[in-house]
């Protein structure tokens, strides 16, 4: 049975210059503070990927785990790039991740969608070998469609391995999984959903009024989240938060996901952000408040698509 985590920490920004501007307003010291705060809060679940900063995020996480001798639960990802075609490519990538993370086994190993010859049946065989060798504890996938999920679930099932999790984008400004069959498939197959970019890369914190407040590639990535109505959503979240001991819009956004029974993994650059995000746990939006947020976000998404 997959542990009943309420929240985790995302590590895409750890060491990332390209999108997140690592080295500007945050660095390895502030990230270690973030990690330590998470340990103090009892939030042990960290999600990373071999692809984040070419393995640097995994390496930092491994160093932090080593420095603190902390008990953690680590998820990382395998990318079936087109040049990876054999079982030994899979095992090498897995062992490289283990070495960077300084752990004997990956708690949750997620496979990204196939991009070349390594297709789902072979990936399931590789996962099964890694399970038998004790190198992974739970199997997951990331950014799979409903069809891919069903197929991969079936392939793993032949080896008696459950598909525990799907990690994918889900937040108040991106709700595709509710309508494209992914959420339904996860519910049907008892697959836990882990929500990437739960704060819409920061847009749901209310810090950024428009794209103009951002620069470079991050601005391009976040373009899709901005609309005239974003501020109305932020105001609603702040109002709702005021009825819960002054929770801010980030905390309300994360609680909305928790009420949807998914595990948000907000990215954080320092201890304060981690502390705030972890305070999204331990209380609940009312049903009426969830509906108000559902409805306003649906209006925003409809206007955006139309
Ligand atoms: N393809 C993939 O594998 C993939 C893709 C996307 C995401 N993910 C996973 O999902 C995780 C989370 O997504 P994300 O990092 O894209 O974005 P996010 O969690 O939606 O937003 C994170 C950003 O929001 C700001 N922030 C966080 N907490 C805050 C707080 N309490 N108050 C104010 N600002 C706060 C920080 O940036 P600023 O301070 O600079 O505003 C932070 O870096 C990633 O780290 C990654 O693990 C994976």
């Amino acid at each position: 049975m997959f542990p009943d985590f309420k929240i985790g920490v995302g590590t895409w920004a750890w060491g990332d210059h390209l999108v997140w501007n690592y080295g500007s307003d945050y660095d390895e010291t502030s990230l270690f503070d973030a990690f330590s705060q998470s340990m103090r809060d009892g939030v042990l679940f960290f999600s990373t990927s071999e692809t984040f900063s070419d393995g640097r995020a995994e390496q930092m996480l491994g160093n932090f785990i080593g420095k603190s001798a902390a008990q953690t639960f680590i998820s990382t990802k395998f990318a079936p790039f087109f040049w990876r075609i054999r079982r030994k490519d899979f095992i090498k990538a897995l062992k490289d991740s283990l070495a960077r993370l300084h752990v004997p086994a990956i708690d949750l190993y997620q496979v990204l969608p196939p991009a070349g010859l390594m297709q789902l049946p072979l990936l399931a065989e590789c996962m099964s070998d890694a399970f038998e060798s004790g190198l992974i504890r739970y199997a997951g996938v990331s950014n799979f469609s409903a069809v891919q999920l069903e197929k991969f679930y079936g392939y793993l099932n032949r080896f008696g391995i459950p598909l525990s999790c799907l990690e994918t984008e889900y937040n108040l400004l991106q709700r595709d999984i509710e309508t494209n069959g992914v959420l339904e498939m996860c519910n049907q197959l008892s697959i836990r959903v882990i929500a990437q970019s739960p704060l819409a890369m920061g847009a749901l914190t209310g810090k950024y009024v428009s794209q103009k407040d951002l620069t470079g590639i991050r601005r391009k990535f976040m373009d899709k989240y901005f609309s005239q109505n974003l501020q109305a959503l932020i105001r609603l979240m702040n109002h709702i938060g005021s009825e819960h001991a002054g929770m801010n819009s980030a905390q309300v956004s994360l609680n909305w996901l928790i009420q949807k029974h998914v595990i948000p993994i907000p990215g954080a650059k320092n201890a304060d952000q981690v502390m705030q995000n972890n305070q999204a746990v331990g209380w609940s939006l009312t049903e009426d408040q969830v509906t108000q947020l559902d409805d306003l976000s649906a209006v925003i998404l409809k206007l955006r698509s139309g």
Side-chain angles (χ1 to χ4, degrees):
M1 186 83 165
F2 191 74
D4 187 24
F5 294 117
K6 296 288 179 239
I7 197 165
V9 179
T11 64
W12 178 15
W14 294 24
D16 181 276
H17 295 277
L18 195 67
V19 178
W20 293 98
N21 220 359
Y22 175 74
S24 55
D25 57 340
Y26 73 112
D27 57 14
E28 191 156 348
T29 305
S30 67
L31 291 174
F32 181 61
D33 292 344
F35 175 86
S36 306
Q37 181 62 46
S38 202
M39 293 298 104
R40 282 194 290 280
D41 292 344
V43 173
L44 312 179
F45 177 31
F46 290 82
S47 186
T48 188
S49 173
E50 62 162 351
T51 58
F52 293 167
S53 308
D54 270 338
R56 192 149 176 219
E58 285 186 337
Q59 205 151 31
M60 267 189 212
L61 189 52
N63 291 343
F64 296 168
I65 294 169
K67 266 211 263 189
S68 64
Q71 179 70 41
T72 50
F73 185 100
I74 303 300
S75 171
T76 194
K77 303 186 188 80
F78 170 79
F81 295 121
F82 70 90
W83 62 85
R84 287 178 166 164
I85 52 178
R86 292 157 298 202
R87 280 165 193 247
K88 69 177 186 187
D89 298 323
F90 182 95
I91 197 72
K92 181 178 183 314
L94 172 54
K95 288 194 167 164
D96 286 349
S97 285
L98 289 168
R100 285 189 290 265
L101 287 161
H102 304 305
V103 291
I106 304 291
D107 296 303
L108 170 64
Y109 203 45
Q110 301 180 30
V111 170
L112 286 157
L117 290 178
M118 254 193 140
Q119 289 295 313
L120 299 181
L122 178 55
L123 287 165
E125 279 179 41
C126 292
M127 287 289 243
S128 164
D129 291 347
F131 250 87
E132 276 189 20
S133 317
L135 298 180
I136 58 179
R137 300 199 171 103
Y138 294 93
V141 291
S142 184
N143 298 331
F144 269 37
S145 67
V147 171
Q148 288 173 319
L149 270 175
E150 189 173 26
K151 283 189 180 161
F152 199 57
Y153 179 94
Y155 293 134
L156 283 180
N157 200 31
R158 290 185 195 161
F159 297 103
I161 297 171
L163 179 54
S164 298
C165 298
L166 161 80
E167 191 185 298
T168 195
E169 183 176 357
Y170 189 32
N171 60 54
L172 275 159
L173 298 171
Q174 172 50 267
R175 294 170 60 187
D176 283 357
I177 64 165
E178 293 178 6
T179 50
N180 64 12
V182 165
L183 197 54
E184 200 182 331
M185 187 60 70
C186 286
N187 290 337
Q188 201 179 307
L189 302 177
S190 300
I191 298 169
R192 285 301 305 271
V193 175
I194 299 168
Q196 293 178 348
S197 303
L199 300 173
M201 294 181 70
L204 290 167
T205 66
K207 275 193 304 200
Y208 305 108
V209 175
S210 80
Q211 294 94 321
K212 291 189 193 114
D213 297 330
L214 294 154
T215 53
I217 295 190
R218 184 170 177 190
R219 181 169 169 172
K220 278 205 170 57
F221 268 91
M222 289 179 63
D223 202 44
K224 61 180 181 178
Y225 300 128
F226 288 100
S227 70
Q228 276 183 335
N229 298 297
L230 174 60
Q231 288 314 306
L233 181 62
I234 302 288
R235 278 194 298 277
L236 174 63
M237 291 195 290
N238 284 331
H239 173 70
I240 288 174
S242 72
E243 294 174 358
H244 293 276
M247 292 290 158
N248 60 35
S249 64
Q251 292 162 328
V252 170
S253 306
L254 295 172
N255 196 275
W256 177 82
L257 286 164
I258 295 167
Q259 301 310 311
K260 303 278 175 188
H261 308 291
V262 310
I263 310 169
I265 47 164
K269 296 174 161 180
N270 54 52
D272 187 47
Q273 290 184 349
V274 165
M275 188 162 53
Q276 285 188 38
N277 296 340
N278 289 342
Q279 284 168 2
V281 180
W283 56 279
S284 301
L285 293 166
T286 64
E287 256 178 57
D288 178 55
Q289 289 168 337
V290 171
T291 306
Q292 286 180 52
L293 292 168
D294 282 348
D295 291 350
L296 184 53
S297 101
V299 169
I300 290 173
L301 295 175
K302 193 159 181 222
L303 285 171
R304 196 170 73 195
S305 68

mmCIF file of all heavy atoms in Angstrom, residues 108-138:
data_model
loop_
_atom_site.group_PDB
_atom_site.id
_atom_site.type_symbol
_atom_site.label_atom_id
_atom_site.label_comp_id
_atom_site.label_asym_id
_atom_site.label_seq_id
_atom_site.Cartn_x
_atom_site.Cartn_y
_atom_site.Cartn_z
ATOM 1 N N LEU A 108 10.004 5.506 -4.950
ATOM 2 C CA LEU A 108 9.014 5.506 -6.041
ATOM 3 C C LEU A 108 9.741 5.839 -7.335
ATOM 4 O O LEU A 108 10.293 6.941 -7.464
ATOM 5 C CB LEU A 108 7.923 6.553 -5.750
ATOM 6 C CG LEU A 108 6.945 6.856 -6.890
ATOM 7 C CD1 LEU A 108 6.104 5.628 -7.235
ATOM 8 C CD2 LEU A 108 6.000 8.016 -6.495
ATOM 9 N N TYR A 109 9.763 4.900 -8.275
ATOM 10 C CA TYR A 109 10.450 5.147 -9.549
ATOM 11 C C TYR A 109 9.397 5.359 -10.620
ATOM 12 O O TYR A 109 8.550 4.496 -10.862
ATOM 13 C CB TYR A 109 11.343 3.955 -9.904
ATOM 14 C CG TYR A 109 12.472 4.299 -10.858
ATOM 15 C CD1 TYR A 109 13.246 5.436 -10.693
ATOM 16 C CD2 TYR A 109 12.786 3.456 -11.916
ATOM 17 C CE1 TYR A 109 14.300 5.745 -11.556
ATOM 18 C CE2 TYR A 109 13.851 3.737 -12.784
ATOM 19 C CZ TYR A 109 14.592 4.892 -12.584
ATOM 20 O OH TYR A 109 15.641 5.192 -13.438
ATOM 21 N N GLN A 110 9.438 6.532 -11.240
ATOM 22 C CA GLN A 110 8.429 6.872 -12.249
ATOM 23 C C GLN A 110 9.039 6.832 -13.639
ATOM 24 O O GLN A 110 10.150 7.321 -13.846
ATOM 25 C CB GLN A 110 7.911 8.287 -12.017
ATOM 26 C CG GLN A 110 7.277 8.519 -10.679
ATOM 27 C CD GLN A 110 6.789 9.965 -10.556
ATOM 28 O OE1 GLN A 110 6.429 10.599 -11.542
ATOM 29 N NE2 GLN A 110 6.789 10.463 -9.350
ATOM 30 N N VAL A 111 8.265 6.303 -14.560
ATOM 31 C CA VAL A 111 8.689 6.258 -15.955
ATOM 32 C C VAL A 111 7.989 7.378 -16.716
ATOM 33 O O VAL A 111 6.776 7.542 -16.598
ATOM 34 C CB VAL A 111 8.310 4.880 -16.555
ATOM 35 C CG1 VAL A 111 8.501 4.869 -18.046
ATOM 36 C CG2 VAL A 111 9.120 3.778 -15.904
ATOM 37 N N LEU A 112 8.754 8.132 -17.465
ATOM 38 C CA LEU A 112 8.167 9.171 -18.329
ATOM 39 C C LEU A 112 7.687 8.521 -19.633
ATOM 40 O O LEU A 112 8.098 7.391 -19.942
ATOM 41 C CB LEU A 112 9.213 10.259 -18.606
ATOM 42 C CG LEU A 112 9.481 11.193 -17.417
ATOM 43 C CD1 LEU A 112 10.854 11.854 -17.517
ATOM 44 C CD2 LEU A 112 8.398 12.255 -17.318
ATOM 45 N N PRO A 113 6.846 9.184 -20.405
ATOM 46 C CA PRO A 113 6.308 8.556 -21.624
ATOM 47 C C PRO A 113 7.409 8.149 -22.610
ATOM 48 O O PRO A 113 8.408 8.871 -22.765
ATOM 49 C CB PRO A 113 5.440 9.660 -22.235
ATOM 50 C CG PRO A 113 5.111 10.558 -21.108
ATOM 51 C CD PRO A 113 6.293 10.522 -20.180
ATOM 52 N N PRO A 114 7.228 6.999 -23.280
ATOM 53 C CA PRO A 114 8.222 6.539 -24.248
ATOM 54 C C PRO A 114 8.456 7.575 -25.346
ATOM 55 O O PRO A 114 7.518 8.204 -25.817
ATOM 56 C CB PRO A 114 7.586 5.283 -24.846
ATOM 57 C CG PRO A 114 6.571 4.849 -23.871
ATOM 58 C CD PRO A 114 6.091 6.084 -23.161
ATOM 59 N N ALA A 115 9.729 7.726 -25.728
ATOM 60 C CA ALA A 115 10.047 8.697 -26.781
ATOM 61 C C ALA A 115 10.754 8.011 -27.944
ATOM 62 O O ALA A 115 11.139 8.670 -28.902
ATOM 63 C CB ALA A 115 10.930 9.797 -26.216
ATOM 64 N N GLY A 116 10.937 6.710 -27.869
ATOM 65 C CA GLY A 116 11.657 6.016 -28.927
ATOM 66 C C GLY A 116 11.339 4.535 -28.906
ATOM 67 O O GLY A 116 10.189 4.139 -28.700
ATOM 68 N N LEU A 117 12.387 3.718 -29.056
ATOM 69 C CA LEU A 117 12.160 2.278 -29.181
ATOM 70 C C LEU A 117 11.794 1.597 -27.863
ATOM 71 O O LEU A 117 11.256 0.505 -27.855
ATOM 72 C CB LEU A 117 13.428 1.609 -29.738
ATOM 73 C CG LEU A 117 13.720 1.920 -31.201
ATOM 74 C CD1 LEU A 117 15.013 1.252 -31.645
ATOM 75 C CD2 LEU A 117 12.562 1.451 -32.079
ATOM 76 N N MET A 118 12.143 2.205 -26.758
ATOM 77 C CA MET A 118 11.803 1.604 -25.463
ATOM 78 C C MET A 118 10.332 1.834 -25.186
ATOM 79 O O MET A 118 9.930 2.898 -24.708
ATOM 80 C CB MET A 118 12.626 2.254 -24.362
ATOM 81 C CG MET A 118 13.709 1.371 -23.860
ATOM 82 S SD MET A 118 14.406 1.997 -22.355
ATOM 83 C CE MET A 118 14.589 0.481 -21.489
ATOM 84 N N GLN A 119 9.515 0.860 -25.522
ATOM 85 C CA GLN A 119 8.076 1.025 -25.389
ATOM 86 C C GLN A 119 7.573 0.395 -24.084
ATOM 87 O O GLN A 119 8.351 -0.176 -23.319
ATOM 88 C CB GLN A 119 7.383 0.431 -26.616
ATOM 89 C CG GLN A 119 7.595 1.261 -27.884
ATOM 90 C CD GLN A 119 6.952 2.651 -27.815
ATOM 91 O OE1 GLN A 119 5.802 2.798 -27.432
ATOM 92 N NE2 GLN A 119 7.726 3.676 -28.183
ATOM 93 N N LEU A 120 6.276 0.494 -23.858
ATOM 94 C CA LEU A 120 5.729 0.123 -22.545
ATOM 95 C C LEU A 120 6.022 -1.327 -22.120
ATOM 96 O O LEU A 120 6.384 -1.554 -20.961
ATOM 97 C CB LEU A 120 4.226 0.406 -22.514
ATOM 98 C CG LEU A 120 3.849 1.879 -22.717
ATOM 99 C CD1 LEU A 120 2.331 2.074 -22.645
ATOM 100 C CD2 LEU A 120 4.519 2.765 -21.669
ATOM 101 N N PRO A 121 5.918 -2.338 -23.020
ATOM 102 C CA PRO A 121 6.191 -3.714 -22.553
ATOM 103 C C PRO A 121 7.620 -3.871 -22.029
ATOM 104 O O PRO A 121 7.836 -4.477 -20.972
ATOM 105 C CB PRO A 121 5.962 -4.566 -23.812
ATOM 106 C CG PRO A 121 5.048 -3.753 -24.659
ATOM 107 C CD PRO A 121 5.422 -2.324 -24.413
ATOM 108 N N LEU A 122 8.587 -3.290 -22.743
ATOM 109 C CA LEU A 122 9.986 -3.400 -22.294
ATOM 110 C C LEU A 122 10.195 -2.614 -20.989
ATOM 111 O O LEU A 122 10.895 -3.084 -20.074
ATOM 112 C CB LEU A 122 10.927 -2.877 -23.391
ATOM 113 C CG LEU A 122 12.423 -2.886 -23.063
ATOM 114 C CD1 LEU A 122 12.897 -4.282 -22.653
ATOM 115 C CD2 LEU A 122 13.250 -2.400 -24.261
ATOM 116 N N LEU A 123 9.569 -1.456 -20.892
ATOM 117 C CA LEU A 123 9.700 -0.661 -19.661
ATOM 118 C C LEU A 123 9.126 -1.418 -18.460
ATOM 119 O O LEU A 123 9.699 -1.391 -17.366
ATOM 120 C CB LEU A 123 8.993 0.688 -19.825
ATOM 121 C CG LEU A 123 9.731 1.680 -20.735
ATOM 122 C CD1 LEU A 123 8.828 2.833 -21.152
ATOM 123 C CD2 LEU A 123 10.982 2.226 -20.031
ATOM 124 N N ALA A 124 8.031 -2.146 -18.690
ATOM 125 C CA ALA A 124 7.446 -2.940 -17.593
ATOM 126 C C ALA A 124 8.411 -4.060 -17.191
ATOM 127 O O ALA A 124 8.591 -4.330 -16.000
ATOM 128 C CB ALA A 124 6.099 -3.503 -18.021
ATOM 129 N N GLU A 125 9.051 -4.694 -18.178
ATOM 130 C CA GLU A 125 10.032 -5.750 -17.854
ATOM 131 C C GLU A 125 11.185 -5.172 -17.039
ATOM 132 O O GLU A 125 11.649 -5.790 -16.076
ATOM 133 C CB GLU A 125 10.610 -6.357 -19.134
ATOM 134 C CG GLU A 125 9.719 -7.396 -19.767
ATOM 135 C CD GLU A 125 10.344 -7.951 -21.054
ATOM 136 O OE1 GLU A 125 11.567 -8.191 -21.070
ATOM 137 O OE2 GLU A 125 9.596 -8.109 -22.029
ATOM 138 N N CYS A 126 11.643 -4.011 -17.446
ATOM 139 C CA CYS A 126 12.761 -3.366 -16.731
ATOM 140 C C CYS A 126 12.359 -3.040 -15.295
ATOM 141 O O CYS A 126 13.138 -3.247 -14.354
ATOM 142 C CB CYS A 126 13.185 -2.084 -17.444
ATOM 143 S SG CYS A 126 13.935 -2.368 -19.043
ATOM 144 N N MET A 127 11.137 -2.516 -15.137
ATOM 145 C CA MET A 127 10.650 -2.197 -13.785
ATOM 146 C C MET A 127 10.607 -3.477 -12.952
ATOM 147 O O MET A 127 10.991 -3.482 -11.780
ATOM 148 C CB MET A 127 9.240 -1.596 -13.847
ATOM 149 C CG MET A 127 9.163 -0.195 -14.354
ATOM 150 S SD MET A 127 9.833 1.005 -13.173
ATOM 151 C CE MET A 127 8.407 1.982 -12.809
ATOM 152 N N SER A 128 10.148 -4.556 -13.572
ATOM 153 C CA SER A 128 10.034 -5.821 -12.846
ATOM 154 C C SER A 128 11.416 -6.315 -12.391
ATOM 155 O O SER A 128 11.594 -6.728 -11.238
ATOM 156 C CB SER A 128 9.348 -6.839 -13.754
ATOM 157 O OG SER A 128 9.546 -8.124 -13.263
ATOM 158 N N ASP A 129 12.412 -6.216 -13.288
ATOM 159 C CA ASP A 129 13.790 -6.622 -12.916
ATOM 160 C C ASP A 129 14.278 -5.785 -11.730
ATOM 161 O O ASP A 129 14.870 -6.313 -10.790
ATOM 162 C CB ASP A 129 14.765 -6.404 -14.091
ATOM 163 C CG ASP A 129 14.493 -7.376 -15.227
ATOM 164 O OD1 ASP A 129 13.738 -8.344 -14.999
ATOM 165 O OD2 ASP A 129 15.029 -7.149 -16.336
ATOM 166 N N ALA A 130 14.000 -4.474 -11.812
ATOM 167 C CA ALA A 130 14.483 -3.573 -10.749
ATOM 168 C C ALA A 130 13.785 -3.886 -9.419
ATOM 169 O O ALA A 130 14.406 -3.834 -8.355
ATOM 170 C CB ALA A 130 14.236 -2.117 -11.153
ATOM 171 N N PHE A 131 12.516 -4.250 -9.506
ATOM 172 C CA PHE A 131 11.781 -4.665 -8.300
ATOM 173 C C PHE A 131 12.426 -5.894 -7.689
ATOM 174 O O PHE A 131 12.693 -5.954 -6.486
ATOM 175 C CB PHE A 131 10.336 -5.018 -8.685
ATOM 176 C CG PHE A 131 9.343 -4.039 -8.183
ATOM 177 C CD1 PHE A 131 9.044 -2.912 -8.929
ATOM 178 C CD2 PHE A 131 8.699 -4.218 -6.974
ATOM 179 C CE1 PHE A 131 8.128 -1.993 -8.478
ATOM 180 C CE2 PHE A 131 7.783 -3.306 -6.514
ATOM 181 C CZ PHE A 131 7.489 -2.192 -7.276
ATOM 182 N N GLU A 132 12.655 -6.892 -8.556
ATOM 183 C CA GLU A 132 13.224 -8.160 -8.050
ATOM 184 C C GLU A 132 14.591 -7.948 -7.428
ATOM 185 O O GLU A 132 14.962 -8.623 -6.474
ATOM 186 C CB GLU A 132 13.312 -9.179 -9.185
ATOM 187 C CG GLU A 132 12.002 -9.888 -9.351
ATOM 188 C CD GLU A 132 12.070 -11.050 -10.308
ATOM 189 O OE1 GLU A 132 13.184 -11.555 -10.568
ATOM 190 O OE2 GLU A 132 10.994 -11.426 -10.795
ATOM 191 N N SER A 133 15.343 -6.988 -7.978
ATOM 192 C CA SER A 133 16.674 -6.717 -7.431
ATOM 193 C C SER A 133 16.604 -5.824 -6.192
ATOM 194 O O SER A 133 17.641 -5.466 -5.625
ATOM 195 C CB SER A 133 17.553 -6.005 -8.461
ATOM 196 O OG SER A 133 17.396 -6.585 -9.716
ATOM 197 N N GLY A 134 15.406 -5.402 -5.828
ATOM 198 C CA GLY A 134 15.245 -4.552 -4.636
ATOM 199 C C GLY A 134 15.711 -3.120 -4.851
ATOM 200 O O GLY A 134 15.968 -2.399 -3.878
ATOM 201 N N LEU A 135 15.793 -2.685 -6.115
ATOM 202 C CA LEU A 135 16.283 -1.326 -6.378
ATOM 203 C C LEU A 135 15.160 -0.282 -6.397
ATOM 204 O O LEU A 135 15.427 0.913 -6.336
ATOM 205 C CB LEU A 135 17.046 -1.279 -7.707
ATOM 206 C CG LEU A 135 18.297 -2.164 -7.778
ATOM 207 C CD1 LEU A 135 18.973 -2.051 -9.141
ATOM 208 C CD2 LEU A 135 19.275 -1.787 -6.666
ATOM 209 N N ILE A 136 13.919 -0.759 -6.530
ATOM 210 C CA ILE A 136 12.790 0.183 -6.425
ATOM 211 C C ILE A 136 11.696 -0.425 -5.543
ATOM 212 O O ILE A 136 11.547 -1.650 -5.488
ATOM 213 C CB ILE A 136 12.220 0.598 -7.807
ATOM 214 C CG1 ILE A 136 11.740 -0.607 -8.618
ATOM 215 C CG2 ILE A 136 13.216 1.370 -8.599
ATOM 216 C CD1 ILE A 136 11.164 -0.201 -9.976
ATOM 217 N N ARG A 137 10.939 0.456 -4.882
ATOM 218 C CA ARG A 137 9.926 -0.041 -3.933
ATOM 219 C C ARG A 137 8.500 0.105 -4.470
ATOM 220 O O ARG A 137 7.656 -0.735 -4.215
ATOM 221 C CB ARG A 137 10.047 0.693 -2.598
ATOM 222 C CG ARG A 137 11.411 0.497 -1.954
ATOM 223 C CD ARG A 137 11.442 0.795 -0.466
ATOM 224 N NE ARG A 137 12.722 0.375 0.083
ATOM 225 C CZ ARG A 137 13.727 1.202 0.395
ATOM 226 N NH1 ARG A 137 13.588 2.501 0.238
ATOM 227 N NH2 ARG A 137 14.855 0.720 0.882
ATOM 228 N N TYR A 138 8.234 1.187 -5.175
ATOM 229 C CA TYR A 138 6.915 1.389 -5.791
ATOM 230 C C TYR A 138 7.124 1.847 -7.229
ATOM 231 O O TYR A 138 8.095 2.548 -7.531
ATOM 232 C CB TYR A 138 6.118 2.477 -5.056
ATOM 233 C CG TYR A 138 5.731 2.103 -3.643
ATOM 234 C CD1 TYR A 138 6.544 2.464 -2.572
ATOM 235 C CD2 TYR A 138 4.556 1.396 -3.375
ATOM 236 C CE1 TYR A 138 6.203 2.127 -1.270
ATOM 237 C CE2 TYR A 138 4.209 1.051 -2.068
ATOM 238 C CZ TYR A 138 5.035 1.418 -1.026
ATOM 239 O OH TYR A 138 4.695 1.086 0.259
#
